[in-house]
């Protein structure tokens, strides 16, 4: 059933974006009602409108907090055209019918983001506008609701092309837009009041989305909800894939641990190359040497700008994505020679304080693992204490193992990843895999260090590591058999420290 738009109520915070819609409604002879600043704006652009106060016979009160909350407004929105009782009451109380409602809510999110005071934020909680949206959406069989600036163009098309008459399908579609707007608005308000301190329910609302080429595999569809353009500028290349996004996320979390010039190469969310040096050029060369075979087709991430000289070295490697704070003009030209190569310029950003993922028939939520113990926090449990070089390597390796899939072992020397065992069901298997990786690429483990994401249940790992040349170990501690590992280290002149912090990652 088509409904001719004869009367519309317009209530806007941002007025100018609605100019064309207002003019089109006016030109079609639609009677307009409005309030305060919106009413003034409508008249300023040469259109006629009635003040809502002429209908309610009440002025705007409480500093503008109450303008439209009145039975003569909501009765005209909620009345059912096919309900005899509703129609009789409209006549009895002289209530006009509204066929269209246009709303632009107070900018609550923007106010919060601007670090405004609590009082300013509270005043930007829209009451009347959100009530108008919900009422009109509920009565979509009779009313067309336009709930935000995002939908003005669609509404203009209806007014222009359909002679100001809306179909039932259009009204139902706009009602879905309306409830999306209202539910998101309420979720943002809840998040502000909840402040993340006492998570008694899970609410998340992300309005931006991007359809991906596919999910993890070509037979799976995939979407990203959020706006990753807030994190970086894409300077070159194709659209990010589902797997690209996962790898970039892992890379950003990893590289955020390091202050020195550092370069990481990731595959399947794990670092296959990682190094910290005095210059980013040196860091890249060292990171590539970790495992040049696995680096093929990987994700590259740097915490320093990329120079032309660095770009010439990097471009020799086939990779999908590179992320850095900035790229010299010549470096960008070199790296952009491959049109599909994704180049991302990282912006200043803050990583989320909580993580969530679907599990079973619900959602798991946890705080970010933002703990990293420093040498002053360590417990030195062996007779041999790590020297300054070993302590630097132990800290490097512990940062890296924290961001490696469990069970995880990392072997490092001179702030360079030599080999890692990732995602193994046995810690011994993880260590053996790390040793084999290091040997495979010609790395000597003599004098290297070992980091474990969790404690050693038995002394077998420190024994295997010692026989491979490892001289220092960092681990959380906490096993019933810690003493056996300590005794082995003491008997073989190894240094071992406990952090007291486990870093499982699944």
């Amino acid at each position: 059933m088509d409904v001719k738009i004869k009367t519309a109520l317009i209530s806007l915070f941002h007025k100018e974006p609605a100019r064309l819609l207002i003019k089109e409604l006016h030109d079609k002879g639609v009677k307009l009602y409005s309030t305060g600043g919106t009413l003034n704006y409508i008249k300023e652009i040469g259109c006629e409108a009635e003040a809502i106060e002429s209908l309610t016979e009440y002025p705007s009160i409480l500093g503008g907090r109450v303008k439209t909350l009145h039975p003569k407004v909501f009765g005209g929105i909620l009345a059912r055209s096919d309900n005899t009782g509703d129609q009789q009451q409209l006549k009895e109380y002289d209530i006009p019918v509204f066929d269209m409602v246009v709303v632009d809510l107070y900018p609550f999110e923007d106010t919060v983001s601007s670090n405004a005071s609590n009082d300013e934020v509270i005043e930007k909680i829209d009451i009347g506008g959100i009530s108008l949206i919900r009422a009109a959406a509920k009565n979509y069989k009779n009313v067309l609701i336009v709930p935000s600036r995002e939908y003005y163009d669609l509404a203009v098309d209806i007014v222009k092309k359909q002679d100001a008459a809306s179909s039932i399908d259009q009204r139902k579609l706009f009602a879905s837009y309306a409830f999306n707007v209202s539910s998101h608005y309420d979720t943002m308000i809840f998040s502000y009041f909840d402040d993340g301190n006492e998570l008694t329910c899970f609410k998340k609302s992300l309005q931006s989305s991007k359809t991906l080429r596919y999910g993890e595999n070509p037979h799976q569809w995939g979407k990203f909800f959020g706006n990753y353009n807030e994190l970086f500028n894409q300077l070159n290349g194709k659209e990010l894939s589902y797997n690209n996004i996962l790898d970039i996320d892992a890379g950003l979390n990893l590289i955020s641990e390091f202050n020195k010039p550092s370069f990481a190469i990731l595959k399947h969310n794990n670092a296959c190359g990682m190094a910290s040096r005095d210059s980013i050029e040196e860091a890249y060369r060292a990171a590539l040497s970790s495992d040049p075979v696995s680096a093929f087709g990987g994700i590259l991430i740097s915490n320093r700008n990329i120079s032309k000289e660095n770009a010439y070295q990097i471009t020799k490697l086939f990779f999908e994505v590179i992320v850095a704070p900035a790229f010299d003009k010549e470096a960008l030209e070199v790296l952009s020679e491959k049109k599909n190569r994704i180049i991302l310029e990282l912006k200043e950003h803050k990583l989320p304080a909580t993580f969530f993922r679907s599990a079973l028939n619900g959602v798991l939520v946890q705080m970010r693992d933002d703990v990293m113990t420093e040498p002053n926090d360590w417990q030195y449990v062996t007779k041999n204490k790590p020297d300054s070089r070993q302590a630097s390597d132990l800290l490097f390796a512990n940062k890296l193992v924290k961001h490696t899939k469990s069970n995880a072992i990392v072997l490092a020397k001179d702030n360079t990843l030599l080999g890692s065992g990732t995602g193994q069901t046995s810690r011994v298997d993880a260590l053996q895999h790390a040793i084999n990786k290091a040997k495979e690429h010609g790395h000597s483990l003599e004098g290297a260090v070992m980091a474990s994401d969790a404690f050693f249940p038995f002394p077998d790992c420190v024994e295997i590591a010692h026989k491979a040349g490892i001289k220092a170990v960092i681990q959380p501690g906490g096993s019933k058999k810690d003493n056996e590992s300590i005794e082995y280290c003491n008997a073989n002149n190894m240094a071992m420290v406990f952090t007291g912090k486990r870093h499982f990652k699944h």
Side-chain angles (χ1 to χ4, degrees), residues 396-398 400-401 404 408-412 417-421 434 449-452:
F396 172 89
N398 199 40
L400 188 46
V401 82
T404 304
I409 293 288
V410 164
L411 307 178
L417 171 63
L418 302 182
S420 61
V449 305
M450 172 174 70
S452 176

Side-chain angles (χ1 to χ4, degrees), residues 427-478:
R427 199 155 298 280
V428 172
D429 287 347
L431 173 56
Q432 200 61 62
H433 184 77
I435 292 171
N436 292 340
K437 271 287 185 182
K439 290 181 177 178
E440 179 184 337
H441 298 294
H443 300 305
S444 170
L445 293 175
E446 190 62 38
V449 305
M450 172 174 70
S452 176
D453 63 336
F455 65 62
F456 299 118
F458 305 101
D460 46 7
C461 282
V462 291
E463 181 178 351
I464 295 169
H466 169 250
K467 290 178 180 177
I470 302 297
K471 299 300 182 188
V473 179
I474 187 168
Q475 59 136 320

Side-chain angles (χ1 to χ4, degrees), residues 19-94:
R19 174 189 286 263
L20 181 58
L21 177 57
I22 293 168
K23 282 187 169 292
E24 289 293 337
L25 289 169
H26 178 263
D27 291 347
K28 293 292 184 182
V30 176
K31 185 172 185 179
L32 305 180
Y33 281 90
S34 193
T35 62
T38 306
L39 178 65
N40 293 335
Y41 175 78
I42 292 173
K43 292 180 177 179
E44 286 171 6
I45 63 173
C47 298
E48 297 175 3
E50 295 286 333
I52 202 71
E53 290 87 347
S54 69
L55 178 63
T56 64
E57 298 181 350
Y58 269 91
S60 172
I61 62 173
L62 307 181
R65 283 189 167 197
V66 180
K67 295 191 285 282
T68 58
L69 296 169
H70 193 280
K72 280 204 169 184
V73 175
F74 282 86
I77 295 171
L78 287 165
R80 293 157 289 189
S81 61
D82 59 353
N83 185 290
T84 303
D86 287 4
Q87 295 304 305
Q88 287 176 345
Q89 288 186 322
L90 290 179
K91 291 180 181 178
E92 180 181 355
Y93 298 108
D94 193 24

Side-chain angles (χ1 to χ4, degrees), residues 141-215:
K141 290 182 179 180
N142 299 283
V143 183
L144 177 65
I145 172 63
V146 185
S148 81
R149 289 172 283 171
E150 183 178 351
Y151 307 108
Y152 290 171
D153 289 346
L154 295 175
V156 167
D157 283 346
I158 291 173
V159 176
K160 286 180 68 174
K161 298 177 181 178
Q162 298 172 205
D163 195 26
S166 63
S167 70
I168 183 64
D169 289 341
Q170 289 170 330
R171 294 194 299 279
K172 187 172 183 179
L173 178 62
F174 273 72
S176 74
Y177 298 154
F179 285 118
N180 177 43
V181 168
S182 66
S183 64
H184 175 74
Y185 198 77
D186 284 343
T187 298
M188 295 301 101
I189 295 170
F190 169 79
S191 298
Y192 177 77
F193 279 89
D194 181 64
D195 201 25
N197 294 323
E198 194 172 329
L199 200 62
T200 57
C201 61
F202 179 79
K203 294 181 186 292
K204 193 72 176 175
S205 179
L206 298 168
Q207 294 293 78
S208 299
S209 67
K210 183 177 284 293
T211 300
L212 306 174
R213 296 195 299 275
Y214 50 81

Side-chain angles (χ1 to χ4, degrees), residues 92-122:
E92 180 181 355
Y93 298 108
D94 193 24
I95 299 173
V97 171
F98 290 105
D99 313 295
M100 184 183 204
V101 175
V102 183
V103 177
D104 180 55
L105 295 170
Y106 290 170
F108 177 83
E109 273 186 274
D110 292 344
T111 306
V112 172
S113 299
S114 70
N115 295 318
S117 69
N118 181 66
D119 286 347
E120 291 173 306
V121 170
I122 298 304

